[in-house]
Coordinates of all heavy atoms in Angstrom, one line a residue:
R257 N -16.0 -0.4 3.8 CA -16.1 0.7 4.7 C -16.3 2.0 3.8 O -16.0 2.0 2.6 CB -14.8 0.9 5.5 CG -14.5 -0.2 6.5 CD -13.2 0.0 7.1 NE -12.9 -1.0 8.2 CZ -11.7 -1.2 8.7 NH1 -10.7 -0.4 8.4 NH2 -11.5 -2.1 9.6
G258 N -16.8 3.0 4.5 CA -16.9 4.3 3.8 C -17.6 4.3 2.5 O -18.6 3.6 2.3
G259 N -16.9 4.9 1.5 CA -17.5 4.9 0.1 C -17.7 3.6 -0.5 O -18.5 3.4 -1.4
M260 N -16.9 2.6 -0.1 CA -17.0 1.3 -0.7 C -18.4 0.6 -0.4 O -18.8 -0.3 -1.2 CB -15.9 0.4 -0.3 CG -14.6 0.5 -1.2 SD -14.9 0.2 -2.9 CE -15.6 -1.5 -2.9
K261 N -19.0 1.0 0.7 CA -20.3 0.5 1.0 C -21.3 0.9 -0.1 O -22.1 0.1 -0.6 CB -20.8 1.0 2.3 CG -20.1 0.4 3.5 CD -20.7 0.9 4.8 CE -20.0 0.3 6.0 NZ -20.6 0.8 7.3
W262 N -21.2 2.1 -0.5 CA -22.1 2.6 -1.6 C -21.7 2.1 -2.9 O -22.6 1.8 -3.8 CB -22.1 4.1 -1.6 CG -22.6 4.7 -0.3 CD1 -22.0 5.2 0.7 CD2 -24.0 4.8 0.1 NE1 -22.8 5.6 1.7 CE2 -24.1 5.3 1.4 CE3 -25.2 4.4 -0.6 CZ2 -25.3 5.5 2.0 CZ3 -26.4 4.6 0.1 CH2 -26.4 5.2 1.4
V263 N -20.4 1.9 -3.2 CA -19.9 1.3 -4.5 C -20.5 -0.1 -4.6 O -21.0 -0.5 -5.7 CB -18.4 1.3 -4.5 CG1 -17.9 0.5 -5.7 CG2 -17.9 2.8 -4.6
R264 N -20.4 -0.8 -3.5 CA -20.9 -2.2 -3.6 C -22.4 -2.2 -3.9 O -22.9 -3.1 -4.7 CB -20.6 -2.9 -2.3 CG -21.1 -4.4 -2.2 CD -20.7 -5.1 -1.0 NE -21.2 -6.5 -1.0 CZ -22.0 -7.0 -0.1 NH1 -22.4 -6.3 0.9 NH2 -22.4 -8.2 -0.2
R265 N -23.2 -1.4 -3.2 CA -24.6 -1.4 -3.4 C -24.9 -1.0 -4.9 O -25.8 -1.7 -5.5 CB -25.3 -0.3 -2.5 CG -25.3 -0.8 -1.0 CD -25.8 0.3 -0.2 NE -25.7 0.0 1.3 CZ -26.0 0.8 2.3 NH1 -26.5 2.0 2.0 NH2 -25.9 0.4 3.5
G266 N -24.3 0.0 -5.4 CA -24.5 0.4 -6.8 C -24.1 -0.7 -7.8 O -24.8 -1.0 -8.8
F267 N -22.9 -1.3 -7.5 CA -22.4 -2.3 -8.4 C -23.4 -3.5 -8.4 O -23.7 -4.1 -9.5 CB -21.0 -2.8 -7.9 CG -20.3 -3.8 -8.8 CD1 -19.4 -3.3 -9.7 CD2 -20.6 -5.1 -8.8 CE1 -18.7 -4.2 -10.6 CE2 -20.0 -6.0 -9.6 CZ -19.1 -5.6 -10.5

Side-chain angles (χ1 to χ4, degrees):
R257 297 174 176 170
M260 272 305 300
K261 292 183 178 180
W262 296 102
V263 169
R264 180 176 179 239
R265 290 175 184 173
F267 186 99

